[in-house]
Amino acid sequence: MSGIDIDKLTELLLQQREELIGQKKAGQASTRTVELDQSTVGRLSRMDAMQSQAMALEGKRRREIQLTRIEAALERIEGGAFGYCAMCDEEIAGRRLEIDPANPFCVHCAEKI
Protein backbone atom coordinates (compact mmCIF):
# COMPACT_ATOMS: atom_id res chain seq x y z
CA MET A 1 0.00 0.00 0.00
CA SER A 2 1.33 3.35 -0.97
CA GLY A 3 1.65 6.25 1.45
CA ILE A 4 -0.09 4.59 4.39
CA ASP A 5 1.57 4.35 7.80
CA ILE A 6 0.22 0.97 8.93
CA ASP A 7 1.87 1.27 12.35
CA LYS A 8 0.16 4.62 12.98
CA LEU A 9 -3.23 3.25 11.93
CA THR A 10 -2.71 0.11 14.04
CA GLU A 11 -1.96 2.28 17.06
CA LEU A 12 -5.08 4.36 16.37
CA LEU A 13 -7.22 1.21 16.11
CA LEU A 14 -5.81 -0.15 19.38
CA GLN A 15 -6.46 3.19 21.09
CA GLN A 16 -10.04 3.30 19.80
CA ARG A 17 -10.59 -0.27 20.98
CA GLU A 18 -9.37 0.58 24.49
CA GLU A 19 -11.62 3.67 24.63
CA LEU A 20 -14.65 1.63 23.56
CA ILE A 21 -13.90 -1.07 26.12
CA GLY A 22 -13.64 1.62 28.80
CA GLN A 23 -16.95 3.13 27.71
CA LYS A 24 -18.50 -0.33 27.72
CA LYS A 25 -17.46 -0.89 31.34
CA ALA A 26 -18.66 2.58 32.38
CA GLY A 27 -22.04 2.16 30.67
CA GLN A 28 -23.00 -1.20 32.17
CA ALA A 29 -24.86 0.38 35.09
CA SER A 30 -27.01 2.44 32.68
CA THR A 31 -28.52 -0.63 31.06
CA ARG A 32 -29.87 -2.19 34.25
CA THR A 33 -33.59 -2.93 34.43
CA VAL A 34 -35.74 0.00 35.53
CA GLU A 35 -37.55 -0.55 38.84
CA LEU A 36 -41.34 -0.61 38.56
CA ASP A 37 -41.97 0.10 42.25
CA GLN A 38 -44.02 3.32 42.32
CA SER A 39 -43.30 3.85 46.00
CA THR A 40 -39.62 4.51 45.29
CA VAL A 41 -39.80 6.21 41.88
CA GLY A 42 -42.54 8.38 40.42
CA ARG A 43 -44.09 7.69 37.01
CA LEU A 44 -42.23 10.50 35.20
CA SER A 45 -38.93 9.60 36.83
CA ARG A 46 -39.48 6.00 35.75
CA MET A 47 -40.21 7.16 32.18
CA ASP A 48 -37.01 9.22 32.20
CA ALA A 49 -35.10 6.20 33.51
CA MET A 50 -36.58 4.00 30.78
CA GLN A 51 -35.62 6.54 28.11
CA SER A 52 -32.09 6.77 29.52
CA GLN A 53 -31.92 2.99 29.55
CA ALA A 54 -32.99 2.80 25.89
CA MET A 55 -30.36 5.36 24.92
CA ALA A 56 -27.71 3.45 26.88
CA LEU A 57 -28.69 0.20 25.14
CA GLU A 58 -28.40 1.85 21.73
CA GLY A 59 -25.00 3.26 22.69
CA LYS A 60 -23.93 -0.22 23.78
CA ARG A 61 -25.09 -1.69 20.46
CA ARG A 62 -23.13 0.92 18.49
CA ARG A 63 -20.00 0.38 20.60
CA GLU A 64 -20.19 -3.36 19.97
CA ILE A 65 -20.54 -2.82 16.22
CA GLN A 66 -17.53 -0.48 16.23
CA LEU A 67 -15.51 -2.97 18.33
CA THR A 68 -16.31 -5.68 15.77
CA ARG A 69 -15.19 -3.38 12.93
CA ILE A 70 -11.94 -2.56 14.77
CA GLU A 71 -11.20 -6.22 15.51
CA ALA A 72 -11.79 -7.06 11.84
CA ALA A 73 -9.43 -4.28 10.74
CA LEU A 74 -6.73 -5.53 13.12
CA GLU A 75 -7.17 -9.03 11.68
CA ARG A 76 -6.83 -7.62 8.15
CA ILE A 77 -3.59 -5.91 9.19
CA GLU A 78 -2.21 -9.18 10.56
CA GLY A 79 -3.36 -11.09 7.48
CA GLY A 80 -1.95 -8.58 5.01
CA ALA A 81 -5.34 -7.65 3.56
CA PHE A 82 -5.59 -4.24 5.24
CA GLY A 83 -6.20 -1.36 2.87
CA TYR A 84 -7.94 -3.44 0.26
CA CYS A 85 -11.70 -3.39 -0.27
CA ALA A 86 -13.54 -6.38 1.15
CA MET A 87 -15.86 -6.45 -1.89
CA CYS A 88 -13.79 -5.65 -4.97
CA ASP A 89 -10.25 -6.13 -3.58
CA GLU A 90 -9.14 -2.74 -4.93
CA GLU A 91 -6.95 -0.50 -2.81
CA ILE A 92 -8.83 1.80 -0.41
CA ALA A 93 -7.79 5.45 -0.61
CA GLY A 94 -5.30 6.40 2.10
CA ARG A 95 -7.30 9.45 3.15
CA ARG A 96 -10.36 7.25 3.65
CA LEU A 97 -8.38 4.95 5.95
CA GLU A 98 -6.95 7.90 7.88
CA ILE A 99 -10.49 9.08 8.61
CA ASP A 100 -11.74 5.61 9.58
CA PRO A 101 -9.07 2.89 9.66
CA ALA A 102 -11.74 0.27 10.40
CA ASN A 103 -13.45 0.96 7.06
CA PRO A 104 -13.42 -2.24 4.96
CA PHE A 105 -14.75 -0.76 1.70
CA CYS A 106 -13.56 1.56 -1.05
CA VAL A 107 -15.74 4.54 -1.93
CA HIS A 108 -17.33 2.85 -4.93
CA CYS A 109 -18.38 -0.30 -3.05
CA ALA A 110 -19.53 1.70 0.00
CA GLU A 111 -21.92 3.60 -2.28
CA LYS A 112 -23.48 0.29 -3.38
CA ILE A 113 -24.27 -0.81 0.16
Side-chain angles (χ1 to χ4, degrees):
M1 283 196 31
S2 56
I4 300 293
D5 186 351
I6 299 288
D7 293 333
K8 179 181 172 184
L9 294 179
T10 301
E11 185 62 35
L12 179 61
L13 287 165
L14 292 171
Q15 180 183 5
Q16 288 175 353
R17 181 175 68 180
E18 290 305 313
E19 288 174 7
L20 287 169
I21 290 171
Q23 290 173 6
K24 182 178 179 179
K25 290 178 183 175
Q28 287 176 342
S30 302
T31 60
R32 281 186 277 148
T33 304
V34 177
E35 293 289 326
L36 295 177
D37 183 10
Q38 289 187 7
S39 64
T40 59
V41 179
R43 187 180 73 157
L44 292 178
S45 296
R46 215 173 37 258
M47 289 173 58
D48 285 343
M50 289 169 54
Q51 182 180 14
S52 293
Q53 179 190 35
M55 289 173 28
L57 288 171
E58 177 61 18
K60 176 183 175 185
R61 185 187 72 80
R62 289 179 186 214
R63 280 191 301 276
E64 289 177 3
I65 289 170
Q66 186 61 15
L67 275 171
T68 301
R69 292 178 73 238
I70 289 170
E71 292 296 336
L74 291 169
E75 288 176 15
R76 287 192 303 275
I77 289 171
E78 286 184 27
F82 183 78
Y84 295 95
C85 180
M87 287 180 73
C88 71
D89 211 30
E90 292 294 319
E91 196 170 303
I92 299 172
R95 181 72 179 128
R96 185 168 174 81
L97 290 173
E98 288 173 4
I99 292 169
D100 181 9
N103 197 328
F105 303 112
C106 68
V107 173
H108 301 291
C109 291
E111 290 175 348
K112 295 175 188 176
I113 297 175

